Amino acid sequence: MIKGYGVFCDADRYFYDTPHRLRSDSGASGTVGEGDGVFEPAGRPVPEGWQSHRAGDWLALRPVENHLPDQGWKIHVSACLDNAESILARVWDYCVARGVSFKFVPTPYLLHNRNAKYADRGSSGKFITVYPAADECASIAAGLDALVGGEPGPYILSDVRWNAGPLHLRYGSFTRRHCYDEHGEPVPALENADGVLVPDRRGPAFRVPEWLAVPDFLRPHLEARSAVDVTGLPYDIERALHFSNGGGVYAGRDRRTDEPVVLKEARPHAGLAADGADAIRRLEQERNVLERLSGLPCIPEAKDAFTLGEHRFLVLEYVRGKPLNSFFAHRHPLIEADPAPEKLREYARWAMRLHGLVAAAVGDVHARGVVFNDLHLFNIMVSEDESSVVLLDFEAARYVEEGGRQTVANPGFVAPPGRRGFDVDHYALACLRIALFLPLTSLFAVDRAKAAHLAEEAARVFPEAREFLELGVAEILRDVDGAPGGVELGALPEAGERDPYRPVDPGDWPRCRDSMARAILASATPERDDRYFPGDIAQFATAGGGLSFGYGAAGVLYALAESGAPRCPGAEEWLLRHSKEPESGTPLGFFDGLAGLSWTLNRLDHRERSLELAELVLAQPWEGLGPGLHSGTAGIGLALDSLAADTREAELRSAALRCAESAAHRFLDASPERRRAGLLHGGAGVALLCLRLYERSGDTALLDLAERALRADLDRCATSAFGTLQVDEGWRTLPYLGAGSVGVGIVLDDYLEHRHDEAFERARPEIVDAARAGFYAQPGLFRGLAGMVVYLSRTTAPGPGTGPDAVHRQIDALSRYAMRYQDELAFPGEQLMRLSMDLSTGTAGCLLALAAAQSEQPARLPFLPPLRRTQNRPLPWSGTNE
């Protein structure tokens, strides 16, 4: 799980949304905020002569006549949930009386999220931010310390603490300015000593910009921060295993015995669980539980505990083996395209045996009156000989007599709210039955009824496990009182029967198109200014994200139009209205910004607005942009070149050529370790721009640049044990369309239309095999199965695996991810915890993929028109194309 997604799940039952929308905290005119769940000061009238502004989680106040400096030493104030309101009231009064600008998080819910276990470690703890003038920072910090100093609050890792807290200071930007980082991505900026904008680093460590000296008033506090060390401990910390906002987990060694150990760290007032318990309270609970369970072979022994500074540590037995989740990459037969029947049977036997070991371990824990409360694939260590398991991470465990609810849980195994005690673990064991075959149980966060469908899909492939899976479904869907909840044993459809969960099969064109289009339109929020269609959390990461091609309205409108679905005039009008004066800070790129908006509006026949946006792009400096297709000069160049072809504007054509030169040289001149690979961010996107420009100009130098960029991407690829070629990122390999080998392969096909290359030809069959696997973790266009459908239906690669049957098999596999939204077909987004309607991660991307696979008028990805062979390969749709 990518940790940032969990916090975007609370505000809406079906879609990712910003946390501040969970509660109504905007009040009447002249009031900063009022309503349920806000701190009292947030409901006060705006002081006379002041103005307020809401931005995301923050509510900001400043005197109308006060112009903030662009950067400086800022003061952060942290707080706990029980003292936050009091601290805010005192800081409010102090700042308003002195005309000092400040901002704060206005609700307990948002403060809890900032201090939660999986909150961003770089911004965690920041409750109030005060913006003093440079010559007043020391006096204001001292004045605030006199008011709130010594109040408990989490340590802010990015800052230096003032005395005992809760005040913390760091040097950073006060106003919204952006520059580009080493990858060409827009980031908050500071101005260095030479007047150049550079990234304002906001990680979980205190850093002073290299051109800046630490002021004298901060030196004592910085020295106090550095005074704590590990010199006197009897343990050596060898490496970090895991970090959360609550602390780290480290592999270490006992100096006295040379025995390997694991050290778990807990930070005070941080890493909050759903019940408000901080990491220290949970670590103490874990120690108590492990002492009760001591002697069981299925749990690690607690060996020691100590305090270092204010952090608490628990020393645990080091357990050898591999976590259960790691077996999927090596053992699961669906990693292959065509696993042998015996391999499927062997895996089913292995999975059911492993589940039995886990269930026995949980039973031993229950026998001592303990509920594990956080069972999932990552918390189960399998011994090296696979004969035993050990359960890890008991910080959420409770004694059964407490009867409390779950407070920390993996989203794919979290029990329904009504489950208590041992039932929580029984539910997780039931989810494990399905996850061992199809690890898609995060979909239950949207709809628990999906369990029966997943079990049916798994039973089609692993018929030996049918009864085993049925038992899991019965437990998942039963009511709290123990009655069956929607399924009885033996109720799963037999192999070959259609499961009733799906409103329509993804292969049933055009009915599936029409159903997805209705789902997309039903999700619309025309009353909102930040987005029209719900999508990925990237909608909220940058200015204009809800408009963008990758994650917003532009991409959805393109997919609807390209697939032959009815257009959505309301959404087009919304996009025109909100793109008239793009929000400050809107990126320039294709998938995330203005270039993509310009290109899309031109495709939708809004030429005037398209050219206005193109002019904005042309007026901006590109020097810091990365070379990629997603947000860099390759994507901008392709958009401008396409627009130039339609308008015959020489300036646009010239700008596209400049983009190609910039993208190629920035990518090829970078050291190999700094280059990214793939279609969206790597050499394949650069090559695609060079190819399209070569086709217009005939300049073979562009073809040479495309060859070099593709070769650089192939150099980043490795052949797996299964004979598939994938992008090697060092810690994982990727086959996907966005950042994997399939994205390289789709451009290789276009290159080979113009020039033969033996190495490129040899790579293609292994890339085809990477697109034919039996399972992918997600359905999305750029990080999932839909991208494989696009590639296989378009590729001109010779040999097996690209015919209609292979394409249809992957289309059929999309059924595993099929969800219902208002009784129509929809697909989940990134991390599977909510639905998405956008192009990059959700339903619009799946729609575009299916439209690209149909034979009569195949849809196209931007700048990737169908190749000749595709149009002569009809696919076995169960419907007919209109």
Side-chain angles (χ1 to χ4, degrees), residues 313-591:
F313 285 82
L314 179 63
V315 183
L316 301 170
E317 170 191 2
Y318 183 88
V319 179
R320 300 187 185 279
K322 292 189 293 186
L324 184 53
N325 69 291
S326 69
F327 283 86
F328 286 94
H330 306 290
R331 182 183 285 273
H332 202 293
L334 294 186
I335 296 299
E336 301 179 53
D338 297 300
E342 179 51 39
K343 197 164 188 178
L344 296 172
R345 289 191 290 270
E346 179 187 346
Y347 178 82
R349 292 191 293 268
W350 177 87
M352 290 188 285
R353 181 178 66 81
L354 257 292
H355 186 275
L357 294 175
V358 176
V362 172
D364 289 343
V365 170
H366 287 182
R368 296 201 181 180
V370 172
V371 183
F372 188 23
N373 263 335
D374 194 19
L375 180 74
H376 57 82
L377 293 165
F378 294 79
N379 279 358
I380 301 166
M381 187 68 78
V382 181
S383 65
E384 293 175 351
D385 64 359
E386 301 180 6
S387 66
S388 62
V389 298
V390 174
L391 306 179
L392 304 178
D393 196 358
F394 279 78
E395 68 174 51
R398 294 291 182 271
Y399 304 129
V400 67
E401 59 267 21
E402 295 178 8
R405 65 187 179 91
Q406 243 176 334
T407 59
V408 175
N410 180 285
F413 293 79
V414 61
R419 302 283 175 108
R420 294 287 191 276
F422 295 149
D423 273 356
V424 171
D425 291 344
H426 293 151
Y427 181 89
L429 283 168
C431 291
L432 184 62
R433 289 174 180 264
I434 295 174
L436 282 165
F437 292 93
L438 289 177
L440 302 174
T441 54
S442 292
L443 295 172
F444 302 167
V446 181
D447 186 1
R448 255 200 301 160
K450 183 69 176 177
H453 180 216
L454 284 185
E456 186 269 331
E457 290 285 325
R460 283 200 303 165
V461 182
F462 303 97
E464 297 85 358
R466 177 171 290 274
E467 184 176 352
F468 173 86
L469 293 163
E470 288 173 346
L471 288 169
V473 173
E475 174 62 27
I476 290 167
L477 298 185
R478 75 170 173 82
D479 294 332
V480 176
D481 62 5
V487 69
E488 297 178 2
L489 296 187
L492 297 185
E494 294 296 330
E497 295 182 8
R498 182 184 180 279
D499 183 83
Y501 181 85
R502 300 188 297 275
V504 60
D505 289 324
D508 187 359
W509 187 271
R511 289 183 62 236
C512 67
R513 176 199 64 195
D514 297 341
S515 186
M516 282 188 279
R518 288 192 294 268
I520 289 170
L521 296 179
S523 73
T525 55
E527 72 283 358
R528 289 177 60 159
D529 288 325
D530 60 338
R531 74 172 190 204
Y532 194 94
F533 299 108
D536 190 68
I537 67 173
Q539 289 185 327
F540 313 112
T542 61
L547 284 66
S548 68
F549 189 85
Y551 312 102
V556 175
L557 290 173
Y558 173 75
L560 290 172
E562 191 70 12
S563 67
R567 290 173 66 159
C568 180
E572 292 184 31
E573 292 169 7
W574 183 93
L575 189 60
L576 286 167
R577 185 167 66 253
H578 286 80
S579 63
K580 184 176 182 179
E581 295 182 2
E583 186 179 353
S584 175
T586 300
L588 302 180
F590 186 83
F591 281 89

Side-chain angles (χ1 to χ4, degrees), residues 811-825:
I811 291 172
D812 186 55
L814 271 174
S815 296
R816 295 171 183 162
Y817 314 89
M819 302 292 287
R820 286 182 175 272
Y821 181 68
Q822 298 196 10
D823 290 326
E824 303 293 351
L825 177 62

